Amino acid sequence: AGGGDGLRWRRASRLPLPVGLVPRPLAADQSNSAVAYGDRLLLKLYRRPEPGPHLEAETLRALTEARCPRTPGLHGTLHDDATGLVLGIVEDFLPVAADGWKAAVRQVADCVDGTCPTVPATGGFTSRARTLGRAVAEVHTALADAFGRQRADADDIAQDAALMTQRLKLAAEEVPALDRHRTRLAALYDQYARAATRGCPLFVQRVHGDLHLGQALPTDDGWHLIDFEGEPARAAAERAAPQPVLRDVAGMLRSFDYAARAGLRELDERHPDAGPADRLRRSRRAHAWTVRNRRAFMDGYAEADGTDPHCHPLHLRAFEADKAVYEAVYEARHRPDWLPIPLAALHRIARA
């Protein structure tokens, strides 16, 4: 460790840091600023530092010590000496042409437009979706080894379902279009609470917490997961709490749905004069793409973890619904023209 007044640098690795790398700023997201140093290191600065143990720094430190091959290695953290707040981290930089989101949207647009691989089950994005499922399972295993895993009891599950019902109630007050689904979704959460106490036990552990295609980088040696801060709208304690791994799985399933819809939007820009028949054909192809890749992702996850998401359809429906409710509030606040995407998903889930 080193430092002085104001800032303190804490090493997370004994390996020496490379010197002489040329810095360049990267496109910032909503809560962070980032600077790449050559193609080796990434400095991430948190614009909204939080008190207490920092979730991402703590998680990456544990995964680095476990030598997890599916996450960037952590080199150190930057602290405010007076408050102890984590202000930033330095981790491995993973240079890629596009993240999983951009790659998926591009492939959706090409596939729906008629240039998809001739054998979609084994070509295009679907084979990558399968390997992504394996990568997520590997990270979940590493997190369970580092932070432990425990069986959720009936009270834990009932409380989880009650929180989902409360989030639905608050969301419907902000997004009135959700109100028509409240009764069915509340019944789904109640079914989840009852089913999770029977049959196969439900285990909880540290998870990613905000898993989607934009948090997955397709590198030369396979997928890597990044950004272990959890959903930014949730409290830090809630993000750090142990969760079922199926919550992360559900988040990725929702992301495939979003990618298909974004691909259709890109096609509308390519072909603004398309007629109703063409739009219907594209919509059906995009739906088929979503189904293929969701199945491939779950197949890959089951192969690597031994937990088969296909065997927990009720749990997945409940977690997908909870995620879509969160998405609906986000879209209503920030991107109203995207609101039909989570609303359509909730319509499907409520009537499944």
Side-chain angles (χ1 to χ4, degrees):
D5 294 336
L7 298 178
R8 179 173 294 273
W9 165 253
R10 294 181 185 172
R11 295 288 302 274
S13 168
R14 294 183 178 181
L15 297 176
L17 291 176
V19 297
L21 300 177
V22 178
R24 67 182 188 281
L26 300 179
D29 59 29
Q30 291 183 344
S31 55
N32 305 317
S33 299
V35 179
Y37 288 83
D39 61 354
R40 298 283 303 279
L41 300 176
L42 178 71
L43 168 63
K44 181 191 290 188
L45 297 172
Y46 301 113
R47 286 190 247 124
R48 300 172 186 171
E50 299 174 329
H54 193 275
L55 180 59
E56 180 169 45
E58 182 183 66
T59 302
L60 281 182
R61 186 183 296 273
L63 291 172
T64 300
E65 292 174 354
R67 298 184 179 181
C68 179
R70 298 300 167 205
T71 54
L74 180 69
H75 293 275
T77 54
L78 188 65
H79 296 252
D80 182 305
D81 218 18
T83 64
L85 293 176
V86 176
L87 303 181
I89 63 172
V90 174
E91 61 183 351
D92 290 334
F93 178 59
L94 304 173
V96 295
D99 60 27
W101 167 260
K102 294 176 182 175
V105 171
R106 185 184 308 118
Q107 210 264 345
V108 170
D110 291 342
C111 185
V112 174
D113 209 18
T115 58
C116 192
T118 55
V119 187
T122 57
F125 198 85
T126 307
S127 60
R128 301 169 81 181
R130 195 182 194 103
T131 58
L132 176 57
R134 295 193 194 105
V136 171
E138 289 177 32
V139 172
H140 280 160
T141 298
L143 288 172
D145 291 341
F147 294 98
R149 186 180 76 147
Q150 66 248 29
R151 181 171 179 167
D153 60 29
D155 290 341
D156 294 331
I157 298 168
Q159 183 179 14
D160 188 31
L163 287 173
M164 289 193 281
T165 301
Q166 178 66 12
R167 287 194 288 267
L168 173 61
K169 175 181 179 294
L170 295 175
E173 293 173 357
E174 186 169 346
V175 186
L178 293 176
D179 198 60
R180 61 183 295 204
H181 302 304
R182 276 185 61 184
T183 300
R184 287 174 181 257
L185 293 178
L188 170 62
Y189 298 153
D190 183 60
Q191 291 168 14
Y192 152 67
R194 286 186 276 113
T197 59
R198 303 192 302 266
C200 296
L202 183 68
F203 290 92
V204 294
Q205 63 167 77
R206 177 70 62 89
V207 297
H208 183 282
D210 189 25
L211 192 61
H212 54 78
L213 286 164
Q215 312 284 37
L217 302 183
T219 64
D220 292 338
D221 59 344
W223 290 93
H224 286 70
L225 304 186
I226 60 172
D227 294 343
F228 285 80
E229 300 169 70
E231 289 180 346
R234 300 199 193 280
E238 185 180 353
R239 285 182 271 132
Q243 298 283 343
V245 295
L246 290 177
R247 278 200 176 275
D248 275 353
V249 173
M252 189 61 75
L253 297 182
R254 292 291 313 123
S255 194
F256 284 120
D257 186 30
Y258 259 80
R261 300 288 180 170
L264 286 176
R265 285 170 172 259
E266 185 173 310
L267 273 180
D268 287 341
E269 294 176 0
R270 290 186 194 177
H271 308 287
D273 299 328
D278 285 336
R279 291 178 183 273
L280 178 60
R281 172 181 54 81
R282 291 175 190 168
S283 179
R284 288 173 174 170
R285 286 185 176 181
H287 175 71
W289 183 94
T290 304
V291 171
R292 276 201 311 272
N293 284 281
R294 284 165 58 100
R295 288 176 177 170
F297 174 79
M298 290 193 289
D299 288 344
Y301 189 95
E303 291 168 359
D305 182 67
T307 299
D308 189 348
H310 293 97
C311 295
H312 303 276
L314 184 59
H315 299 53
L316 275 179
R317 280 181 57 214
F319 296 150
E320 271 199 83
D322 190 45
K323 183 69 173 181
V325 168
Y326 174 91
E327 293 165 355
V329 174
Y330 179 89
E331 304 299 10
R333 291 175 179 174
H334 305 290
R335 302 186 301 186
D337 57 325
W338 288 71
L339 180 57
I341 298 177
L343 291 182
L346 289 168
H347 181 83
R348 169 180 55 82
I349 294 170
R351 280 156 178 74

